[in-house]
């Protein structure tokens, strides 16, 4: 993808600051489960808070490498392009966009939703309206789940998380949380709601790609294919097949590989936020 000259001031880089280390108490098994359940998802605190107490092993501060500094610039650029695109879309619909923050970290950090761990993958925390990213997880995405990882596949992941921020600003997140707390729905029904939520974030990522390319011409050949590869790699069926050897559709929380591709491409092809009502489409 082509870089722009835009940079956001809403990116905090906690890498190299020391004091990270591994969360003690939950164990690797808990973290792997968290990664599968919450990858490209929302609040990770529920599974980690039940894993017992935690403490943080201290690490010494270090200087960031040239590659890490370049990653920071890339994230600042993608964050800025999300801010500009969503500001425009909100304004066209008579609303005001409030930017999210982005935190880069390594190993572990604290979020408004509780402890954040790199094995959980990138996530959005509604409590502090912040996207948390440990870039090392993209190696896992490629090596374990078979995704094609490029700059634009990373941009897709960030756009998906920003999609969750859009849902929070529009009140969708709050309505979904109210459904979950009501006690009126079965686990299977709530899973279907979760799938609709995640696929809408994929739609928003596709919408962002279309609108941003219209404005900045960022896309190069292969970029959309890379985004689709990442979306399909984290489909519930692909993750379940690779992690447990079989597929249980009733336990899906993010959607199948085919669904994730479908809704990303619908956002990209239409460029129209009004076409992203996954709830009416999937919950009839």
């Amino acid at each position: 993808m082509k870089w722009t000259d835009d940079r956001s001031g809403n990116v905090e880089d906690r890498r190299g600051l020391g004091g990270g280390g591994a969360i003690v108490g939950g164990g690797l098994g808990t973290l792997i489960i968290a990664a599968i359940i919450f990858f490209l998802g929302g609040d990770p605190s529920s599974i980690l808070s039940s894993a017992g107490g935690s403490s943080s092993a201290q690490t010494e501060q270090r200087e960031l490498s040239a590659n890490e500094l370049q990653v920071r610039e890339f994230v600042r650029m993608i964050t800025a392009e999300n801010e500009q695109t969503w500001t425009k879309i909100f304004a066209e619909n008579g609303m005001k966009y409030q930017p999210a923050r982005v935190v880069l970290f390594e190993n572990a950090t604290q979020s408004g939703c509780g402890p954040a761990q790199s094995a959980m993958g990138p996530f959005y925390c509604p409590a502090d309206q912040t996207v948390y990213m440990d870039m090392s997880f993209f190696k896992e995405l490629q090596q374990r789940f078979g995704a094609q990882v490029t700059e634009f596949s990373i941009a897709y992941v960030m756009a998906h998380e920003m999609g969750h921020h859009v849902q929070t600003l529009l009140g969708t997140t709050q309505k979904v949380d109210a459904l979950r707390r009501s006690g009126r729905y079965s686990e299977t029904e709530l899973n279907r709601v979760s799938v609709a939520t995640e696929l809408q974030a994929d739609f928003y990522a596709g919408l962002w790609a279309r609108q941003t390319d219209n404005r900045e011409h960022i896309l190069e050949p292969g970029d959309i294919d890379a985004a689709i590869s990442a979306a399909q790699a984290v489909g519930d069926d692909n993750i379940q097949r690779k992690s447990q050897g079989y597929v249980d559709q009733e336990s899906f929380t993010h959607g199948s590989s085919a669904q994730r591709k479908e809704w990303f491409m619908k956002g990209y092809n239409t460029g129209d936020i009004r076409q992203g009502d996954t709830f009416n489409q999937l919950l009839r």
Side-chain angles (χ1 to χ4, degrees), residues 68-87:
E68 287 172 321
L69 293 174
Q70 185 178 27
V71 166
R72 177 199 291 167
E73 287 303 293
F74 178 74
V75 171
R76 289 183 63 208
M77 179 190 71
I78 295 301
T79 302
E81 299 308 336
N82 271 275
E83 291 169 354
Q84 292 188 30
T85 294
W86 284 109
T87 295

Side-chain angles (χ1 to χ4, degrees), residues 8-15 38-44 72 74-76 78-80 82-83 86 97-106 109-118 120-135 137-138 153-169 173 198 201 204-205 208:
S8 172
N10 289 316
V11 176
E12 178 186 354
D13 194 347
R14 297 180 186 174
R15 300 171 301 167
F38 293 106
F39 184 75
L40 297 182
D43 180 358
R72 177 199 291 167
F74 178 74
V75 171
R76 289 183 63 208
I78 295 301
T79 302
N82 271 275
E83 291 169 354
W86 284 109
Y97 181 72
Q98 298 293 332
R101 293 174 60 247
V102 176
V103 169
L104 291 172
F105 71 98
E106 54 187 354
T109 193
Q110 288 295 319
S111 78
C113 296
Q117 186 79 11
S118 60
M120 290 154 44
F123 69 92
Y124 171 73
C125 173
D128 57 9
Q129 298 191 6
T130 300
V131 173
Y132 290 85
M133 298 186 66
D134 184 324
M135 304 301 291
F137 194 83
F138 288 97
S153 54
I154 296 171
Y156 152 70
V157 170
M158 287 192 62
H160 175 103
E161 300 307 333
M162 291 294 182
H164 287 304
H165 179 58
V166 170
Q167 289 172 327
T168 296
L169 296 181
T173 303
E198 296 300 328
Y204 288 156
W208 169 82

